[in-house]
Amino acid sequence: MMFTRGLLRIGDEQVPCEIRLSRRRRTLGIEVQPEPRIIVRAPAGWSRALIEARVTERATWIGRHVQRFRSLAAALPPAPAFVTGDLLPYLGELHRLEVVSAGRPAVARLPGALRVAVPPGAGPERVRRALETWYRARAGELFATLLDERCDWFLGRGHPRPTISVRRMTTRWGTLGPPAPHGASRMTLNLALIRAPRECGEYVVVHELCHLEHRGHGRGFYRLMDQRLPDWPERKRRLESLLLLQA
């Protein structure tokens, strides 16, 4: 295993690797993302040589996860062309796309299908935009519901209910910003979560809520995750296996 100009050589392939230093960290953290991409988080005082040595010790673990993501990516269906017959995920289920002509764009969910109405002669890009608008609306509704279901314990601890925003993100499922002047934090959630099963979105919401108590990912954070959502590791694994960050 070797570091070269932002790449980590694993066997015969090179994987993008970013090293992030933080004064708040006391231990090394390694995250393998679906692209695949590797993020190494280390204490600010550690030397490059020490970081590389510690990462090398985890070579087998890193290689196993990189290969898992490679295998999952190979099994993915082709990217949608946004024409009738495409298969599109929504809340963990595949729906057949039906494109029909109508005076104004609209999307309807039917049993096993998403019907998209667009003006006559409109092309795939118009279909894609109509679907994205619909996905965003459904995501906002879902995330608000999940937050309502899961925030009571945190409100009882004196934390204001976070505000929610939905956006496309390429490397994260969600983030929690610092409290605003009026006291509430902003929870930003990845639009891609609306394609995943509901329980996966719930995992991300609880994860971000736990950051109200613990800003980092230390032992206290994971103890709280275990208390608030005991099966979170399985939900996390299921979400990562979907490779939706590439969608």
Side-chain angles (χ1 to χ4, degrees), residues 36-55:
R37 177 170 174 261
I38 299 166
I39 295 179
V40 178
R41 295 182 172 87
W46 284 25
S47 68
R48 175 78 178 216
L50 176 58
I51 294 171
E52 292 186 6
R54 292 293 178 84
V55 172

Side-chain angles (χ1 to χ4, degrees), residues 147 151 155 159-164 176 184-187 209 212:
L147 185 59
C151 71
L155 298 181
H159 299 289
R161 183 186 189 278
T163 60
I164 291 180
L176 187 76
S185 300
R186 177 179 294 275
M187 183 184 296
L209 281 171
L212 293 171

Side-chain angles (χ1 to χ4, degrees), residues 198-213:
R198 189 182 193 275
E199 59 265 28
C200 294
E202 185 176 27
Y203 150 70
V204 177
V205 168
V206 173
H207 180 110
E208 300 308 329
L209 281 171
C210 287
H211 280 310
L212 293 171
E213 287 279 306

Side-chain angles (χ1 to χ4, degrees), residues 135-199:
Y135 272 128
R136 283 185 180 276
R138 302 293 80 72
E141 294 168 359
L142 173 65
F143 299 154
T145 297
L146 293 174
L147 185 59
D148 286 341
E149 292 174 355
R150 285 291 180 171
C151 71
D152 282 354
W153 185 88
F154 298 91
L155 298 181
R157 298 278 292 179
H159 299 289
R161 183 186 189 278
T163 60
I164 291 180
S165 66
V166 180
R167 56 184 284 253
R168 285 183 174 273
M169 292 187 280
T170 59
T171 61
R172 294 186 179 185
W173 298 114
T175 62
L176 187 76
H182 57 79
S185 300
R186 177 179 294 275
M187 183 184 296
T188 303
L189 297 169
N190 196 323
L191 175 62
L193 287 170
I194 197 61
R195 296 174 168 85
R198 189 182 193 275
E199 59 265 28

Side-chain angles (χ1 to χ4, degrees), residues 70-99:
R70 294 286 193 205
S71 299
L72 289 167
L76 283 176
F82 299 103
V83 296
T84 294
D86 279 349
L87 293 177
L88 303 175
Y90 174 66
L91 291 181
E93 298 180 1
L94 290 177
H95 292 65
R96 183 179 182 274
L97 175 61
E98 297 179 3
V99 180

